[in-house]
Amino acid sequence: MSASREIRTRTDLLKLLCEAAELEHGIACSYLYAAFSLKRDIAEGGMTWEEQQKVRRWAAQIYFVASQEMLHLALVWNLTTAIGGTPYYFRPNFPQGSKYYPIKVPIELEPFGPQSLRRFIRYEHPQNIAPERDLKSLLASAGDDAEEIEFGSVGELYGLIESGFHNIGEKELFIGSPTQQMTRDLVHFPDLIPVVDRDSAIKAIEEITEQGEGTGRDREDSHFGAFVAILKELLDSTARGSGFSPARPSMRNPSARLERGYGADSNPIDDPLAGQVAALFDSVYSLMLRMLAWSFEFDSVGVEEQLKKFCSVTIDIMPRVLLPLGEGLMLMPAGKKYPGKTAGPGFGLTRHVMLPPSAENARQLCRERMKELAVLAADLLKLRLPEPVKSGCRHLREIAETF
Amino acid sequence: MARDFDVVVIGAGMAGAMTAYRLAQAGARVLILEAGNRNPSRAQMVGSFATASAKTLHSPYVQAESDTKAPSPDSSSTYYEQPAAPHTQYKSTYERRTGGSTWHWLGHTPRMLRSDFKMSSRYGGGPDFPPALVDWPVTYDDVEPWYCEAEREMGVAGSHDEWNGLFDSPRSKPFPMSMIWPSYSDTWIAGQINGKSFEGSEYRVRSTPSARNSELYDGRPPCAGNSICVPLCPIGAKYDGAVHVAKATAAGASLWEQCVVTKLDKDADGSVHTVHFLTYGGASQTVTAEVVVIAAHAIETPKLLLMSGLANMSDQVGRNLMDHLAKSTFGIAPEQLFPFRGPPSTSGIESFRDGDFRRARAGFRVSLNNDGWSRRGAPYTEIIDFVTNKKLIGADLQEALFARVTKQLRLSCSVEVAPDPNNRVELSAMTDALGLPRPKITFTPPQYSLNGLAQATKTLGDMFRLIGATEVDLGAANAYDGAGHIMGTCRMGSDPKSSVVDAQCRTHDHPNLFIVGSSVFPTVGSPNPTLTIAALALRAAQDIADQLGFKTEPQI
């Protein structure tokens, strides 16, 4: 992909929007995995009281960046439906090799550390600027397997998308219904922009790139700037040799169910109980995604209440179910194959039932699935599990009861 | 005669630091003198709070030496000399330290309204209207660009659409950050009351603008919902004065801490160039400057002027001490609102701030709060009750506690206090450890404000009724808390006979002596004062730079 290329057809534009959706989604999972891995309690060892404050701040920043990636995904979906497309929520399972996307950086699930942070910096690296000398040395520190990185970036992808919105005639391009657009009245997403014309499309794209890469004036306040600052702080802290170890020893690229044709080069969790929790995580995650994508896909006229309900449930699920399950998995052993390692959520997207266009039927399907998952959660609650996992299971049952 | 510095700023709080920053940026040689100690790291302060047995505003900031040598009402409950109860008390307090009291502020930054600057001409003349409730010598339109600038400097998150044009007070620029998202409790309450009215004013819940990052801003992280903004944001997402102290020193300003200013000298021509101060060791030192700026909050500032015998030709120094009358009311919501998460307050109601009623009573703001009944000791009080009286333990205790605390709701108000020259700061005969007089405070809430408090209490009662709350406690009539908004005491005005500073915050009596901070407010309206303090300080900094002949980049 070259920055000088321009997009001139709806088909190409939709293809790139799907690619952007896939990337934003995958990157958000990668950030969440790193945030889940950060230690919470001093009793976990490896940090002093003061260092715990720092770790909490890093966790807060990474969760915040991940939440903005979710906003970016939502904006991409609004851009997609505005020009007649369907929100795309699929993505290949982890890990995705460096050749899969033109940004030439692998997308993986790995715990917080210099290596994951360097990868994050590459995702968010501003287009059209060469890395400054000190950044180059930060990225090239020991443990990095890449020699000379070509900085294709997510920003470059959005540059191409923007060219499509400029090049294709406005009347011809915006064939989606304005009432199909998701607004802040329907979903509690701060800064969500409904896309109805070229101006609002450009505004949405600018919001994505400014939050990610930043602009020349406020680069330190972008995702890019935040990750650079965290990496510097981390290297500075560990260089003092105090034994500071902020992350849990979680495995890389876990999967709950390799035996069922998961694909990719993931590492199947070897501990049966952790595998069970990871499978529940995947199922909840998959249902949550489908409900959110359904809400973005269909016209809100006549089904506004259902859209609101779906959106509020999905947003409830993220912090109350997925977050504690994800953090809890990182306190569970990964199994004999991975000595000393703890498990983690695989964010697995396997074959699943698509939700139908009929609002009533979609709700029925979701209600039934939620109840099935609540039964699994109830079974897990009978076992000895880390407190965050139990808390996620309890919340899932509560949400299912009122759905 | 060559002076040591171009500008000496007394006080390293938000107003002083912002002034110092702008002047240092313009090329002035600036010194900031601060009575308090250097701050330890934020993590150390969080640690002090966490390990303190009694959690108070001052818990993170306890330092034996500065608490003795530069005492404050936060560090010493007997610092103010006040008439004993049952006489009404002045209840607000402050810190003396680098960064000032913004270390423990809540972070709310609503603007004053157009009418707040014009109280006398808009509502004056009637029998119930306090005569000291004057017009400001500046208008909303004069200050508006500086409000925008203050919002940018501090990093304010807010909703432009919700606030633009409130009571004829337009905004010329959007907020630098989108709003802090309303809590679940806020949106639920809005669903119950929005569009309904009480005695002619319509309820409409708005997100409250806050100097609290909703995104990465100015090198600081977004709010992570630690919920202990007061007394200390553990991650620096909430703005505090230390941000501009760091900017000022990075721009070249000098910062001398543990320097308690004791006196300013007047030259024969009326100008003030010499500043005397004591170090903690008791050594007396002097520094000189072309311009002196006092930024020592609304009690230490008049105290210093009275100790120096300056700027008081009007006899207004120390008079018209104000605050907001704050009141918390409590109820149990009919469903779970899940408090104890996020910033303590994220939304409020502005509808009662202005109207013709201000001819006879004060306006007020209403805050919706996210802190349950924590001000009444929740959840510890409930745990003790459930264990000792209801004999609950284990899962039963957990369930009962969850069912109860998740429905707890606090609604509060902040009522405008009218100026009264008899409410004042004077020098006490009692002294502190350095032998300096402590402040003697006299304060009685004016009837105009008590009338506003009564109306606010009725309104909160109506809100609880609309919500369907039970166990509602509106508190005793006329009972109030301090809002921490110490204002007045060096009022701004056009007439040197009735005011201390002019519209540029320059003292009428001394052409090179400026005062920044809430002490210059002639009236206060009902909004939290900090944004207005910042706007006036930035505006004054521009005037000081002009007076000294420094060229500044046009900021507005």
Side-chain angles (χ1 to χ4, degrees), chain A residues 143-307:
Chain A
D144 191 61
D145 57 357
E147 290 172 16
E148 194 60 43
I149 297 296
E150 190 189 332
F151 277 89
S153 72
V154 180
E156 216 170 285
L157 172 62
Y158 282 106
L160 282 171
I161 289 172
E162 190 172 338
S163 77
F165 279 101
H166 278 297
N167 291 335
I168 306 170
E170 202 170 5
K171 263 193 173 170
E172 173 197 351
L173 185 60
F174 290 91
I175 58 175
S177 156
T179 48
Q180 208 179 345
Q181 286 296 303
M182 287 300 273
T183 63
R184 292 186 303 184
D185 296 334
L186 295 168
V187 58
H188 279 206
F189 253 137
D191 303 331
L192 185 61
I193 296 171
V195 177
V196 292
D197 54 19
R198 182 178 287 151
D199 283 350
S200 50
I202 303 301
K203 204 171 148 201
I205 294 166
E206 280 172 357
E207 185 167 296
I208 294 171
T209 49
E210 277 172 23
Q211 287 179 348
E213 302 175 350
T215 57
R217 283 185 60 193
D218 65 352
R219 192 144 278 147
E220 69 167 354
D221 297 324
S222 64
H223 299 179
F224 170 75
F227 287 134
V228 168
I230 294 174
L231 177 58
K232 280 182 180 164
E233 217 178 343
L234 174 65
L235 294 178
D236 183 47
S237 307
T238 47
R240 290 188 203 137
S242 63
F244 177 42
S245 163
R248 294 158 177 161
S250 307
M251 61 192 298
R252 292 176 64 188
N253 302 311
S255 62
R257 322 181 158 98
L258 186 68
E259 74 280 6
R260 293 175 64 183
Y262 187 90
D265 299 319
S266 65
N267 299 310
I269 295 169
D270 198 32
D271 179 81
L273 186 53
Q276 220 177 317
V277 175
L280 178 66
F281 180 99
D282 286 354
S283 300
V284 176
Y285 161 68
S286 163
L287 179 62
M288 181 272 295
L289 259 182
R290 280 176 277 163
M291 287 167 65
L292 200 57
W294 190 93
S295 309
F296 274 76
E297 182 173 354
F298 295 104
D299 204 307
S300 61
V301 175
V303 291
E304 203 169 291
E305 286 313 305
Q306 171 143 337
L307 286 185

Side-chain angles (χ1 to χ4, degrees), chain A residues 306-327:
Chain A
Q306 171 143 337
L307 286 185
K308 282 185 184 173
K309 178 71 181 171
F310 269 27
C311 290
S312 73
V313 166
T314 56
I315 286 179
D316 211 13
I317 283 175
M318 291 186 224
R320 295 186 66 212
V321 182
L322 294 178
L323 187 145
L325 289 182
E327 289 197 359

Side-chain angles (χ1 to χ4, degrees), chain A residues 49-50 53 56-57 60-61 64-65 68 184 187-191 211 217 220-223 226 320 394 398, chain B residues 43-44 46-47 50 152 161 178-179 181 187 214-222 224 226 234-235 398 402:
Chain A
W49 200 91
E50 286 81 7
Q53 305 307 305
R56 280 184 176 173
R57 180 160 44 80
Q61 280 179 271
F64 175 76
V65 170
Q68 285 199 325
R184 292 186 303 184
V187 58
H188 279 206
F189 253 137
D191 303 331
Q211 287 179 348
R217 283 185 60 193
E220 69 167 354
D221 297 324
S222 64
H223 299 179
R320 295 186 66 212
R394 277 195 295 266
E398 283 168 23
Chain B
Q44 283 171 298
V46 174
R152 190 185 64 77
D161 294 341
S178 63
M179 64 180 169
W181 209 235
T187 50
S214 65
E215 57 194 62
L216 297 154
Y217 187 86
D218 204 15
R220 293 183 287 116
N226 284 289
I235 62 171
Q398 203 172 19
F402 185 67

Side-chain angles (χ1 to χ4, degrees), chain B residues 440-452:
Chain B
K440 179 184 172 190
I441 309 278
T442 309
F443 181 77
T444 304
Q447 191 57 45
Y448 179 84
S449 302
L450 290 174
N451 293 345

Side-chain angles (χ1 to χ4, degrees), chain B residues 227-463:
Chain B
S227 305
I228 57 158
C229 318
V230 180
L232 173 67
C233 175
I235 62 171
K238 183 192 73 176
Y239 173 85
D240 55 61
V243 168
H244 273 93
V245 173
K247 288 185 183 213
T249 52
S254 301
L255 170 64
W256 295 357
E257 292 158 312
Q258 303 185 5
C259 296
V260 185
V261 176
T262 54
K263 192 169 181 290
L264 309 177
D265 284 345
K266 182 178 70 168
D267 288 359
D269 64 355
S271 59
V272 174
H273 296 286
T274 307
V275 179
H276 300 277
F277 61 93
L278 285 174
T279 64
Y280 283 5
S284 178
Q285 297 190 29
T286 298
V287 68
T288 59
E290 297 297 333
V291 163
V292 175
V293 179
I294 311 179
H297 216 329
I299 287 181
E300 297 299 324
T301 292
K303 200 183 93 178
L304 177 58
L305 288 173
L306 292 171
M307 283 158 63
S308 306
L310 295 178
N312 202 17
M313 301 266 283
S314 60
D315 187 32
Q316 291 300 305
V317 169
R319 294 188 184 273
N320 303 299
L321 174 67
M322 292 170 278
D323 191 358
H324 288 124
L325 304 184
K327 185 172 210 173
S328 286
T329 58
F330 302 88
I332 294 292
E335 56 183 85
Q336 292 175 316
L337 301 183
F338 304 104
F340 300 96
R341 300 180 301 172
S345 177
T346 35
S347 295
I349 299 173
E350 312 301 319
S351 320
F352 311 105
R353 288 175 58 183
D354 196 28
D356 216 37
F357 61 79
R358 289 174 92 186
R359 293 182 188 283
R361 67 162 171 85
F364 58 92
R365 285 191 73 238
V366 168
S367 289
L368 316 183
N369 303 291
N370 303 319
D371 54 2
W373 287 12
S374 58
R375 294 206 177 189
R376 292 176 143 194
Y380 310 106
T381 312
E382 285 74 8
I383 293 171
I384 292 165
D385 176 46
F386 288 154
V387 172
T388 54
N389 300 327
K390 301 194 172 70
K391 311 297 179 198
L392 297 176
I393 55 167
D396 292 341
L397 172 63
Q398 203 172 19
E399 275 173 33
L401 191 63
F402 185 67
R404 173 85 179 164
V405 299
T406 52
K407 292 182 178 175
Q408 291 180 341
L409 174 63
R410 180 172 73 92
L411 299 175
S412 58
C413 62
S414 182
V415 182
E416 170 181 22
V417 166
D420 177 342
N422 296 315
N423 287 337
R424 64 189 298 196
V425 177
E426 296 170 278
L427 298 179
S428 168
M430 293 186 280
T431 55
D432 64 18
L434 288 178
L436 304 173
R438 286 163 28 190
K440 179 184 172 190
I441 309 278
T442 309
F443 181 77
T444 304
Q447 191 57 45
Y448 179 84
S449 302
L450 290 174
N451 293 345
L453 180 64
Q455 183 66 19
T457 308
K458 270 168 68 184
T459 307
L460 296 173
D462 185 63
M463 287 175 65

